[in-house]
Amino acid sequence: MREHISGQYDAELDELRAMVTEMGGLVERQLSAVCEGLATWNADPAEPVIALDKAVNRLEVRIDDACTHIIAKRQPTASDLRLVMSIVKAITDLERIGDETTRIAKMLETLCALPPLRDPLPELTEMMTRVQSMLADALNAFVRVDEARALDVITRDRSVDRAYQALVERLLGEMEAHPAQLRSYHNVIWCARSFERIGDHAKNVGEYIIYLARGQDVRHQGLGAPSDR
C-alpha cells in the first residue's frame, strides 16, 4: 500500500512538472512569434499569440489547482514542498510573460498599420534576442534544477535593462527630430517596456530555481556562488 501511495505521489509530481513544461513551451511560442513580427514588420503572428494566451491562462489554473491538491492531500515536506511552492510562483511569472506578449501583439497590429520606421533599432533587436534566450534557459534550468544556469539568467537581466534605457533615450531624440512618426516610436517604446518586463519575469524564475536548489530565498539579496549553500 505504501509503495502504491508513493507511486501515485511521484506521478502527481511528474504531472506537475509536465504541465509547467507545457506552459513554458506555449509562452516561448508567444514570445518567438511577436519577436518575428517586430523583426519583419508583420502583424500576421499577432492573432495566434492573442489566442494562445487563453491556453496559457487555463494551464495556470490547472497547475495551481494541482499544487493546492498536493499540499492539502500529500502534505509535502523539504524538497518536495520547495518544488510545489516554486511551481506556484513560477507559473505566475509565466502567465505574466504571456500577458506581455499579448500586449506586444496588440501593439504590433497598430505598428504595422503605420509606415515602417526608417532606421533599424539594434537595441530592440538585442532586447528580443536576450529575453528569448533568458526565457529558454530559465525553463531548461527549472526542469533540470540547474543552479548555475539559473544564476546566469539572473545576471543577464542587467543587459536587457541597459538595452531598454539606451533604446528609450535614442527614441526620445527621434521623436523630436521626426514628429510625424511619433505614434510609431511611442508604440516601439511600449513594446520595449514589455520586453524589459519579460526579462524581469525570467529573472524571477531563475530566483525560484535557486530557492528550489538551495532552500534559500535570494530575492533582493546577494546570490553567492553555486557552491555557497
Side-chain angles (χ1 to χ4, degrees):
M1 178 63 74
R2 278 202 198 96
E3 288 180 5
H4 176 66
I5 293 172
S6 177
Q8 283 185 325
Y9 181 34
D10 289 342
E12 289 169 6
L13 292 178
D14 287 342
E15 176 64 16
L16 261 186
R17 295 185 185 97
M19 286 193 290
V20 174
T21 301
E22 182 183 357
M23 186 177 180
L26 292 178
V27 172
E28 278 192 288
R29 283 171 55 191
Q30 287 181 293
L31 181 56
S32 176
V34 292
C35 288
E36 180 184 351
L38 280 169
T40 58
W41 210 261
N42 177 10
D44 288 347
E47 281 303 318
V49 168
I50 294 168
L52 270 178
D53 197 48
K54 294 179 181 177
V56 171
N57 292 342
R58 286 195 296 268
L59 262 175
E60 183 196 19
V61 172
R62 280 180 58 200
I63 297 168
D64 194 52
D65 285 347
C67 288
T68 301
H69 169 81
I70 287 176
I71 291 171
K73 186 175 179 181
R74 305 297 185 187
Q75 298 181 350
T77 59
S79 61
D80 286 348
L81 180 58
R82 292 204 304 270
L83 171 64
V84 174
M85 295 308 299
S86 297
I87 287 174
V88 169
K89 294 175 181 178
I91 62 172
T92 299
D93 280 281
L94 291 178
E95 190 275 334
R96 287 175 181 168
I97 291 174
D99 287 345
E100 294 296 342
T101 61
T102 300
R103 236 176 243 117
I104 295 168
K106 292 175 180 177
M107 287 183 279
L108 177 62
E109 291 179 320
T110 301
L111 271 170
C112 289
L114 300 169
L117 296 175
R118 300 177 307 165
D119 300 321
L121 300 170
E123 299 92 345
L124 183 63
T125 301
E126 179 185 351
M127 288 186 73
M128 292 191 295
T129 301
R130 288 186 180 278
V131 297
Q132 285 185 91
S133 67
M134 283 178 68
L135 177 60
D137 285 348
L139 292 170
N140 286 333
F142 201 93
V143 169
R144 294 169 174 80
V145 194
D146 186 337
E147 185 179 348
R149 183 172 291 188
L151 284 166
D152 185 52
V153 169
I154 293 167
T155 57
R156 278 150 55 194
D157 185 51
R158 297 191 194 104
S159 64
V160 175
D161 294 341
R162 287 194 295 269
Y164 172 67
Q165 291 300 328
L167 179 65
V168 169
E169 288 173 11
R170 186 156 80 87
L171 291 188
L172 289 176
E174 294 288 348
M175 287 178 180
E176 293 181 5
H178 307 288
Q181 291 191 299
L182 186 65
R183 286 185 64 200
S184 294
Y185 289 128
H186 185 263
N187 277 279
V188 169
I189 287 175
W190 278 112
C191 287
R193 178 58 176 155
S194 283
F195 284 122
E196 191 270 337
R197 286 175 174 163
I198 289 170
D200 289 341
H201 291 305
K203 175 188 174 184
N204 289 347
V205 174
E207 291 175 342
Y208 306 145
I209 297 163
I210 304 302
Y211 168 71
L212 179 55
R214 297 184 186 179
Q216 175 188 358
D217 189 341
V218 297
R219 292 174 297 176
H220 319 299
Q221 300 177 29
L223 292 173
S227 59
D228 295 342
R229 301 187 187 183

